[in-house]
Amino acid sequence: MRFKNGEVLDTNFDTYSCALLLVPRIETVILESPDLPAQGGGEPAIVPMGAVLANAVFDAVGARVRHLPLTPRASWRR
């Protein structure tokens, strides 16, 4: 989120810089499994995505980024 003079500038998703908005289109396939109970579709996989992307940045350029959104400025924050 961006702030100016103590006010939040990103009050809606149209200005919020979020790495999740940059992911490619995901194709959904529904499988017919009448013998199994209903399962989640992918929610657990979203939890570690911030860390996954931060580690990819570190692997690519050697900069350890510990804050979201992942921007060059975020690597300067402590």
Side-chain angles (χ1 to χ4, degrees):
M1 295 180 76
R2 296 176 304 136
F3 297 89
K4 184 173 183 179
N5 298 326
E7 291 186 47
V8 177
L9 297 177
D10 300 305
T11 58
N12 203 337
F13 284 117
D14 63 345
T15 59
Y16 181 69
S17 176
C18 179
L20 296 177
L21 301 176
L22 304 175
V23 298
R25 183 179 297 267
I26 298 172
E27 180 182 347
T28 302
V29 178
I30 308 285
L31 301 176
E32 191 70 35
S33 302
D35 298 339
L36 298 173
Q39 303 290 317
E43 299 85 349
I46 201 69
V47 173
M49 284 310 297
V52 168
L53 293 172
N55 283 329
V57 168
F58 178 73
D59 188 48
V61 298
R64 181 61 73 191
V65 184
R66 300 182 188 275
H67 299 275
L68 294 176
L70 299 175
T71 63
R73 182 133 174 93
S75 64
W76 290 86
R77 294 172 55 192
R78 301 217 183 247

